Amino acid sequence: MIEARNVMKTYGSGDNVVHALRGVSLSINAGEVTALMGPSGSGKTTLISILGGILSATSGSVRIDGREIVGLAEGELPALRRDLFGFIFQGFNLFPALTAAENVSVMCQLKHVPEPKKRALELLRMVGLEDKARTHPSDLSGGQKQRVAIARALAGEPRILLADEPTAALDSVSGRTVLEILSGLAREKGRAVIIVTHDPRVLEYCDRIVHIADGRVESDSYRTVEEVA
Ligand SMILES: Nc1ncnc2c1ncn2[C@@H]1O[C@H](COP(=O)(O)OP(=O)(O)O)[C@@H](O)[C@H]1O
Ligand SMILES: [Mg+2]
């Protein structure tokens, strides 16, 4: 689904140059939860931003369904992002002035989903928040906000979900609820789910663990049956 080959990313120039990615090759498959782990500053956020077409790579190749996105004109990326990806961030990024349902329906509108208000309520139901549709983010718990953010990311049925530290701000029960929803989307709906995380709880819910260190893939392995048991 996503094929990254020898992706490099440098920020800045001259004395201030930062080599955030030093040649990353990685393929992301449908129906799997991939955990991207690694120390702070290792390049995880840079990598998912490039995989998701938010940031352009300095060099290398990223193919999505066979289509090269590195070097694509700036103007072409927003449409690609809109059609293929759902993004979930640590900080939720909900609009404070809008209700839960409005936060989701705005994204449905942006993605040209028919009947956005109705669809927003369906998506909230999927994450168990139908009773919070009219509630504003300030009156929701952290776990509820993250579930609204997931509902919003699901607008337009994206095939790829990218989550950057989605459980970092959550207590253990709401963290698990969020992980159950994300892994269910991979297993039952065949979505590709990529979770950037430091959270060891994520390991129970992922199929594959990719460790990033100093801008490189240090290890990439599927969990074995023994680990799952
Ligand atoms: N916009 C930026 N400008 C300059 N350097 C950046 C920028 N974003 C990230 N970096 C640097 O790139 C490296 C990787 O950062 P990042 O991808 O955020 O890592 P992680 O998500 O693993 O913490 C770090 O050294 C960071 O300081
Ligand atoms: Mg990061």
Side-chain angles (χ1 to χ4, degrees), residues 9 52 81 87 92 118 138 144 179 187 197 203 225:
K9 177 67 184 180
R81 282 201 296 269
F87 297 94
F92 319 123
K118 186 166 166 246
S138 55
Q144 290 167 340
L179 291 168
R187 268 155 224 154
T197 189
L203 303 181
V225 175

Side-chain angles (χ1 to χ4, degrees), residues 47-200:
L47 180 58
I48 63 159
S49 303
I50 289 173
L51 297 180
I54 291 178
L55 194 67
S56 52
T58 306
S59 64
S61 161
V62 177
R63 288 175 181 273
I64 298 174
D65 293 336
R67 179 171 176 218
E68 181 61 62
I69 66 163
V70 174
L72 213 60
E74 286 277 287
E76 291 183 72
L77 285 175
L80 179 108
R81 282 201 296 269
R82 189 188 63 211
D83 295 341
L84 281 174
F85 297 102
F87 297 94
I88 300 151
F89 299 100
Q90 175 177 353
F92 319 123
N93 294 354
L94 301 178
F95 294 112
L98 302 185
T99 64
E102 288 164 348
N103 265 282
V104 179
S105 68
V106 158
M107 187 61 85
C108 290
Q109 279 167 346
L110 208 71
K111 296 202 175 194
H112 309 300
V113 173
E115 301 190 78
K117 286 183 181 165
K118 186 166 166 246
R119 185 62 189 146
L121 293 177
E122 288 166 5
L123 290 169
L124 284 176
R125 192 172 314 126
M126 275 182 59
V127 298
L129 286 180
E130 60 273 43
D131 56 331
K132 300 288 180 192
R134 292 161 173 274
T135 307
H136 285 82
S138 55
D139 293 323
L140 294 173
S141 70
Q144 290 167 340
K145 280 189 264 211
Q146 194 58 299
R147 279 146 71 195
V148 174
I150 293 174
R152 183 181 56 180
L154 291 173
E157 310 281 330
R159 288 160 57 211
I160 307 166
L161 287 167
L162 301 174
D164 198 353
E165 309 266 8
T167 60
L170 305 184
D171 64 73
S172 91
V173 173
S174 31
R176 284 186 184 280
T177 306
V178 160
L179 291 168
E180 269 158 28
I181 294 170
L182 289 175
S183 59
L185 288 164
R187 268 155 224 154
E188 286 147 36
K189 308 239 167 172
R191 308 290 163 83
V193 177
I194 307 172
I195 305 180
V196 167
T197 189
H198 283 102
D199 183 349

Side-chain angles (χ1 to χ4, degrees), residues 11-12 18-20 38-47 164-165 196 198:
Y11 292 107
V18 176
H19 297 282
S40 185
S42 56
K44 306 180 297 297
T45 295
T46 301
L47 180 58
D164 198 353
E165 309 266 8
V196 167
H198 283 102

Side-chain angles (χ1 to χ4, degrees), residues 18-29:
V18 176
H19 297 282
L21 297 179
R22 300 167 183 264
V24 169
S25 298
L26 188 66
S27 31
I28 298 294
N29 308 309

